Amino acid sequence: MSDAVLDSAVHHQTFTAIGQSMPRVEDYRLLTGTAKYLDDIEVPHALHATFVRSPYAHARIFRIQTDQAMAVPGVVAVVTGQDLARWTQPARMAPPIEGLFPMEMTTLPIDKVRFDGDPVACVVAADRYTAEDAAELVMVEYEVLPAVTDMFAAAEEGTPLVDETLSSNLVSHQTYAKGNVAGRFAEADVIVEATFSQHRQTHVPMETRGCVAVWDDGRQHLTFYIGTQVPHPMRTTLAARMGLKETQVNVISPDIGGAFGQKIALYREELTVAALARELHRPIRWREDRMENLRAASHAREDFVKTRAAVTKDGRILALHADLFSDFGAYSFFPANYMIRVVAMLLPGPYKIQDYSYEVKVALTNKCPAGPMRAPMAIASWVTEGTIDAVARKLKLDPVEVRRINMLKQDDLPYLTATTELYEDITPRETLDRAVHSFDYHVRRKEQERLRVQGKYRGIGICSVIESTTYGSEFYRKAGISGTGHEAAWVRIEPTGVVNASAGIMGSGQGYETVMTQAVADGLGCNPHDVAIHLGNTLLAPYGMGSRGSRGAVAGVGTTFLAAQQARIKVLAIAAHLLKLRSSKDLQLTDGQVVLETDGQWRPTGLNLRDIAQTAYLNPLALPDGMEPGIEAHVAYDPPAMTYSNSTHICEVEVHLDTGVISVGPYLVVEDAGTMLNPQLVEGQLLGATALGIGGVLFEHVVYDENGQNLTASLMDYLLPTAVETPEIQMIHMGTPNHRTPAGIKGMSEGGVMGAIGAVCNAVSDALSPLGIVVEQQPLSPSYIKSLVKKASKTAR
Amino acid sequence: MNEVPVTLWVNGQTYAVRVSPRKLLSDVIREDIGLTGTHVGCEHGVCGACTVWVDDRPTRSCLMFAIQAEGHAVTTIEALAQHGQLNVLQQALHEEHGLQCGFCTPGIVMTMEAYLHEHPNPTVDDIRDALSGNLCRCTGYQNIVAGVQKAARVFAQNSSGATSAAGNESTHLSEGGREYV
């Protein structure tokens, strides 16, 4: 991609499709039941795999007897970790990060199981019912070991080891300091401490995991169907683990029924299915059931943070220190510091805090492995804003005032944070002020006081969010992780003037096909109805890094926009040649028509995109000298090290002291995600993220007992918010473009989670402040709230 | 396990299949009949993704054996759009962005379509209550509620005979009814 194209993408574009709430092109197939999700792909003669899972959190495997299962009619194979070790390579996670210990895992466990639900054997049969029957007959002899279920205990000396190749369960430990933290604490009038404990949650995509592996023995080629956020990295990993070349594997991702970060890693079950397809020379499919998904797919968010703030008596924060601790579960599918490191990085938030230090520890436990879940840094905004509220309480100041005293203003930008992050084009003070104003904050404060006299406990919570969205290659280099942040796209104008395009991202509900269509329409200058987007097939799409974080907009759609602009340059060059103009500088492509500027007016030239395409493909001798036939643009683009969006959430809650029930609402979000590709989709993402955050705060909780048994492996125990509990959310958009990215896009869709956690928790603490209660842990279940109220009333007596 | 012959009447067509007596209606609709619009999200009756109509009543097809459906009319999501046109509720959900990944959507359409036929003038609270048996992880429900409200308005306009006032939306109405069952 040339600098000129990027420059024009950033600065000189007027949009006709981008910025419109164009209805989604994906919807028809999704609404009519004609979409193809993984389980809808018919593969003739496919066998079905199912997994035998450990009922224990921690146990040695002595023997696995498979003969009874093999005797069931219809069963084709029963395999164990020993078999898979012959057919596949283990996964080694060893990025060169100081304080992070390398970990390795085999495809299935061989010597011991490490959590309730760990897969120990795989049964392959003619159908799923038979496979599940036979799985019941696989006899595994275990020696049960003591389970490590508490992350703090896990890190202590003498605790049984989750991974016996390590000397401790403390798998990762780093410290960081910037400025003169100790000096600042010595100067402080007050030191304010606050504690934040977030519970274990899980993604619960409505479509569980699954895959279909088809091995072509003649071509020695694997076609692997899987709903994955990252088709190309999935292919690279799968090929490596199977000892195949990348040319021998094609990954095809059909429609995905939600992912939320759970569909990034190559899981052990998936690799097992792929390996078995090759060994058995039969197509094999696997669809996990909901219990497996809740028990053994991936968990997230079990983080603990304690902050200490050095504060002046007028509310200025001089320095901040944070101790972070995270429960990583039993295996390493990601670097162990991967998620919690970003939390530590973001904790100074939108505040001017240059003296900052942290210590971050990650422990292994006998629980389901942790992975990134929509906003892996979710706890960060609660911690920052909860600390601000703690300062306000201590100094008896209004929490809005404490925010204003410390918050970055436009004059402070660009701003290099204490963790060397660059903030540009963000508007924290503006979103805060707008939120406070639009929410009638001061009126509600008075009403709150009035209601308290009547015994009603209402509270207002505010949470400003700085949301890291697009991670460029520079970010990965700084973090020491072997990843990149670039993305690739192609745009191809076909002989009839219609346009196919693709990129490496893969959607799971975001509406990528729609916003990429809009980006192509504007980048090229064609009608959106003439554009078709093709994602998720590694032979069709260019190698890209897929969908993770909130990179879809800047990296995925931004790169596609650049590729469309490249294609336009060629289209206009051909047009100029056909019109016998010396250059294309006065030409433009608008809605598929070539127009010429004369005397300040755009006039038709009689040429359209179809004419140009016909020439490019079918009459190449009419092209300018030396120009290649056809019109295809391939672009790779590496976004800035990081892009940031920002927002302020503000909400009111009422806490019912007798039942412990919390009602949430009204709820307002003022957000700034830069140029909105499609406002309706931005709102959809914001609504979904905020609901996911609220559900996490109030209901969702993965519970393990002291033996490491998962007690929440059904949707009757793991409670998702329904339409009744989810409040109506109002939204206001600011739209400050990022000056470094194509079209000024910033990315969004995780900040809603971050803001909801902070806003709801802060509101509940505010509501209960007359009782001296501060919520320090989630979920804010009725029993937790009632226990706090009970304790407070005892103390009061 | 031994298979038995079952005759199912799905979307107005007869299907004679041989299935195991323990095979779930959801699995038979998907695997033996080949209608994959009915999605299986939990297999324990909580998420609502597999909702179909059995004799016009929304039913979780994962909580029913296919053999129990013999002699009953089964309707699935595939029957709602006719001649390539979304029905009123589908169109309203499309316009209001009431779906994202779409996996829960067929179950939601089947649940709320039936609900609107019996409750033509629901309040927002009524809609949220009726929707509470269907889980959606993407949307936060707000736009689904807006879509259902919009569809209810169109139904109301149609039943009051205000065909011209209903504009384009009313032209889809004939496809939105249930005469295909």
Side-chain angles (χ1 to χ4, degrees):
Chain A
M1 173 203 50
S2 72
D3 288 347
V5 170
L6 180 58
D7 186 59
S8 97
V10 174
H11 297 293
H12 311 295
Q13 180 79 27
T14 52
F15 305 125
T16 54
I18 288 175
Q20 301 299 311
S21 287
M22 184 175 124
R24 298 204 317 171
V25 299
E26 295 89 341
D27 283 359
Y28 182 81
R29 66 177 190 265
L30 303 175
L31 280 160
T32 53
T34 50
K36 286 274 177 281
Y37 298 90
L38 192 272
D39 230 19
D40 305 335
I41 298 170
E42 260 190 281
V43 175
H45 312 298
L47 302 173
H48 291 250
T50 198
F51 289 85
V52 178
R53 295 183 184 276
S54 168
Y56 302 110
H58 197 191
R60 263 192 225 296
I61 303 169
F62 268 136
R63 197 179 340 166
I64 303 177
Q65 284 182 283
T66 61
D67 39 340
Q68 271 193 63
M70 278 302 291
V72 174
V75 171
V76 176
V78 183
V79 298
T80 66
Q82 300 275 14
D83 300 313
L84 269 305
R86 291 200 305 277
W87 303 330
T88 57
Q89 299 294 316
R92 188 169 168 77
M93 186 61 68
I97 295 169
E98 206 187 326
L100 175 72
F101 293 100
M103 285 178 73
E104 194 171 291
M105 66 179 150
T106 52
T107 301
L108 290 180
I110 296 171
D111 300 322
K112 73 168 188 176
V113 288
R114 297 191 194 174
F115 71 96
D116 169 17
D118 212 353
V120 287
C122 178
V123 177
V124 181
D127 65 83
R128 192 174 170 211
Y129 288 70
T130 306
E132 289 189 11
D133 283 349
E136 297 279 312
L137 300 174
V138 174
M139 297 299 158
V140 187
E141 289 175 38
Y142 295 100
E143 179 200 354
V144 179
L145 300 169
V148 182
T149 57
D150 176 81
M151 62 176 164
F152 301 108
E156 283 166 16
E157 288 281 316
T159 309
L161 292 172
V162 175
D163 184 329
E164 285 161 25
T165 65
L166 302 181
S167 58
S168 154
N169 292 321
L170 192 62
V171 65
S172 181
H173 182 192
Q174 291 86 19
T175 58
Y176 178 85
K178 172 83 193 304
N180 178 10
V181 177
R184 293 283 158 157
F185 270 88
E187 290 166 21
D189 297 324
V190 190
I191 290 167
V192 177
E193 291 192 344
T195 297
F196 306 88
S197 180
Q198 188 167 262
H199 56 305
R200 183 170 271 254
Q201 295 162 56
T202 184
H203 313 64
V204 202
M206 294 320 297
E207 181 199 35
T208 55
R209 295 179 298 162
C211 60
V212 187
V214 182
W215 175 253
D216 180 334
D217 211 38
R219 292 166 60 228
Q220 293 282 295
H221 185 272
L222 177 72
T223 303
F224 196 60
Y225 299 92
I226 180 169
T228 176
Q229 297 171 236
V230 293
H232 293 94
M234 170 66 70
R235 184 186 74 185
T236 302
T237 310
L238 181 60
R241 300 275 310 266
M242 291 185 67
L244 295 170
K245 296 176 190 169
E246 277 196 85
T247 50
Q248 291 178 279
V249 179
N250 187 27
V251 168
I252 299 177
S253 181
D255 287 316
I256 303 179
F260 312 108
Q262 198 174 68
K263 295 173 182 174
I264 295 174
L266 171 64
Y267 290 103
R268 299 173 297 167
E269 294 91 339
E270 295 154 358
L271 178 58
T272 298
V273 168
L276 275 166
R278 180 173 62 178
E279 292 308 312
L280 299 175
H281 307 285
R282 305 275 292 272
I284 301 178
R285 64 191 314 148
W286 170 62
R287 157 64 61 212
E288 99 182 318
D289 68 23
R290 182 55 66 186
M291 184 192 245
E292 293 178 286
N293 180 262
L294 291 168
R295 221 171 135 209
S298 177
H299 291 171
R301 301 230 200 290
E302 193 170 357
D303 302 325
F304 172 88
V305 183
K306 188 172 171 187
T307 58
R308 288 176 70 228
V311 189
T312 64
K313 58 180 180 298
D314 57 357
R316 205 153 47 83
I317 297 171
L318 301 175
L320 182 70
H321 175 79
D323 291 301
L324 301 94
F325 213 118
S326 187
D327 185 329
F328 199 57
Y331 295 98
S332 179
F333 285 91
F334 297 87
N337 71 332
Y338 182 64
M339 282 90 71
I340 194 76
R341 177 191 178 280
V342 178
V343 176
M345 180 185 96
L346 292 177
L347 282 188
Y351 300 106
K352 262 188 274 188
I353 302 171
Q354 280 295 325
D355 301 271
Y356 171 55
S357 59
Y358 66 75
E359 178 168 16
V360 53
K361 295 177 178 174
V362 182
L364 298 178
T365 57
N366 290 118
K367 294 189 276 191
C368 180
M373 173 172 161
R374 189 176 197 171
M377 65 300 203
I379 195 175
S381 301
W382 176 38
V383 173
T384 307
E385 293 290 85
T387 301
I388 296 276
D389 278 7
V391 170
R393 274 193 301 273
K394 183 96 169 189
L395 299 174
K396 299 195 175 13
L397 294 171
D398 187 292
V400 173
E401 282 319 302
V402 179
R403 282 169 174 77
R404 283 180 176 150
I405 290 165
N406 292 287
M407 195 171 269
L408 293 163
K409 293 196 281 284
Q410 286 306 313
D411 295 350
D412 301 309
L413 302 178
Y415 181 79
L416 197 64
T417 72
T419 52
T420 68
E421 287 297 294
L422 182 64
Y423 292 166
E424 297 177 290
D425 307 317
I426 59 166
T427 53
R429 180 62 191 265
E430 288 78 3
T431 58
L432 174 69
D433 287 349
R434 187 76 185 269
V436 166
H437 174 76
S438 301
F439 201 68
D440 291 329
Y441 175 77
H442 297 288
V443 177
R444 284 183 194 279
R445 276 282 180 230
K446 290 205 181 77
E447 176 74 358
Q448 179 187 27
E449 280 171 33
R450 195 179 66 76
L451 288 168
R452 270 181 192 164
V453 180
Q454 299 174 15
K456 286 195 175 174
Y457 287 81
R458 284 217 188 147
I460 301 171
I462 300 171
C463 186
S464 285
V465 177
I466 295 287
E467 175 185 4
S468 48
T469 54
T470 320
Y471 297 59
S473 296
E474 181 64 20
F475 175 86
Y476 289 96
R477 195 191 60 77
K478 266 165 59 183
I481 302 167
S482 64
T484 89
H486 79 276
E487 190 51 57
W490 58 255
V491 169
R492 192 165 69 220
I493 299 166
E494 305 294 353
T496 48
V498 295
V499 187
N500 281 311
S502 183
I505 56 171
M506 178 61 210
S508 49
Q510 300 91 334
Y512 287 162
E513 291 168 44
T514 303
V515 284
M516 283 174 68
T517 296
Q518 293 174 268
V520 169
D522 270 347
L524 176 63
C526 68
N527 191 309
H529 296 296
D530 289 333
V531 180
I533 305 297
H534 308 273
L535 302 175
N537 181 328
T538 59
L539 284 181
L540 205 64
Y543 197 109
M545 303 317 293
S547 299
R548 55 209 303 174
S550 290
R551 72 190 300 276
V554 174
V557 184
T559 308
T560 308
F561 181 67
L562 296 174
Q565 286 194 318
Q566 286 283 36
R568 181 176 60 184
I569 291 170
K570 182 163 182 181
V571 167
L572 296 181
I574 297 169
H577 185 72
L578 294 178
L579 294 165
K580 303 194 181 349
L581 299 172
R582 221 172 293 155
S583 93
S584 61
K585 71 178 172 50
D586 295 325
L587 288 176
Q588 196 48 274
L589 191 63
T590 303
D591 198 24
Q593 304 295 319
V594 180
V595 290
L596 175 68
E597 190 179 25
T598 43
D599 312 325
Q601 291 270 333
W602 289 104
R603 298 173 203 282
T605 60
L607 283 178
N608 61 28
L609 187 54
R610 183 190 162 95
D611 301 327
I612 306 295
Q614 292 275 311
T615 307
Y617 283 92
L618 306 177
N619 189 12
L621 297 180
L623 292 173
D625 280 348
M627 185 182 273
E628 281 178 17
I631 309 172
E632 262 184 78
H634 289 251
V635 163
Y637 164 66
D638 203 336
M642 185 68 82
T643 58
Y644 284 96
S645 285
N646 66 281
S647 61
T648 298
H649 288 230
I650 187 164
C651 74
E652 196 166 59
V653 301
E654 183 164 341
V655 182
H656 305 274
L657 294 196
D658 48 344
T659 58
V661 168
I662 296 161
S663 12
V664 180
Y667 196 117
L668 171 69
V669 184
V670 182
E671 67 85 34
D672 192 337
T675 302
M676 288 195 282
L677 293 164
N678 181 320
Q680 194 180 37
L681 300 201
V682 167
E683 295 203 338
Q685 290 299 304
L686 192 52
L687 290 169
T690 305
L692 194 133
I694 293 170
V697 172
L698 297 180
F699 308 111
E700 300 177 30
H701 191 188
V702 175
V703 181
Y704 282 96
D705 74 7
E706 66 281 8
N707 299 316
Q709 290 288 309
N710 186 322
L711 304 180
T712 47
S714 88
L715 291 179
M716 284 176 279
D717 305 296
Y718 188 87
L719 299 180
L720 297 181
T722 77
V724 169
E725 296 87 20
T726 308
E728 178 97 12
I729 292 154
Q730 307 293 324
M731 290 161 282
I732 295 173
H733 308 285
M734 305 286 277
T736 309
N738 183 309
H739 75 282
R740 286 183 196 267
T741 62
I745 308 164
K746 286 179 178 169
M748 54 87 57
S749 90
E750 296 178 289
V753 182
M754 305 168 76
I757 296 170
V760 173
C761 287
N762 288 348
V764 172
S765 288
D766 183 50
L768 298 178
S769 58
L771 306 174
I773 291 171
V774 177
V775 297
E776 294 184 329
Q777 71 181 62
Q778 304 168 42
L780 307 180
S781 63
S783 57
Y784 172 57
I785 296 299
K786 281 183 75 174
S787 75
L788 289 176
V789 171
K790 201 167 159 189
K791 212 165 105 192
S793 56
K794 268 189 195 152
T795 316
R797 258 181 237 137
Chain B
M1 202 163 284
N2 289 340
E3 290 181 343
V4 295
V6 183
T7 303
L8 293 174
W9 192 30
V10 182
N11 301 339
Q13 289 191 45
T14 302
Y15 295 87
V17 294
R18 290 187 65 82
V19 299
S20 159
R22 65 170 174 172
K23 194 160 187 180
L24 301 176
L25 178 58
S26 51
D27 286 346
V28 171
I29 289 171
R30 293 177 47 79
E31 295 169 12
D32 298 273
I33 294 178
L35 297 172
T36 55
T38 299
H39 297 152
V40 177
C42 73
E43 292 176 294
H44 54 278
V46 180
C47 79
C50 69
T51 303
V52 299
W53 296 340
V54 176
D55 296 334
D56 291 0
R57 298 197 71 79
T59 303
R60 301 201 168 197
S61 60
C62 79
L63 291 187
M64 194 171 162
F65 298 115
I67 52 169
Q68 293 173 285
E70 198 162 42
H72 299 274
V74 176
T75 308
T76 70
I77 185 70
E78 284 88 349
L80 293 212
Q82 298 276 295
H83 316 298
Q85 283 275 32
L86 298 178
N87 82 2
V88 170
L89 177 58
Q90 290 168 319
Q91 180 68 24
L93 288 168
H94 172 56
E95 288 169 7
E96 294 298 320
H97 187 29
L99 63 149
Q100 289 182 24
C101 84
F103 198 79
C104 70
T105 305
I108 285 177
V109 170
M110 296 310 285
T111 302
M112 298 313 292
E113 175 83 13
Y115 176 80
L116 285 176
H117 280 275
E118 289 179 7
H119 306 84
N121 295 304
T123 65
V124 169
D125 284 349
D126 291 340
I127 293 171
R128 285 186 175 267
D129 203 40
L131 188 57
S132 67
N134 290 72
L135 296 176
C136 169
R137 192 59 158 161
C138 295
T139 63
Y141 305 103
Q142 190 161 318
N143 287 346
I144 303 177
V145 173
V148 176
Q149 277 182 284
K150 189 179 224 177
R153 281 197 301 274
V154 178
F155 278 126
Q157 280 165 346
N158 183 59
S159 61
S160 68
T163 45
S164 57
N168 282 338
E169 288 167 329
S170 71
T171 61
H172 302 162
L173 257 188
S174 56
E175 279 100 39
R178 290 197 188 177
E179 49 284 334
Y180 39 78
V181 178

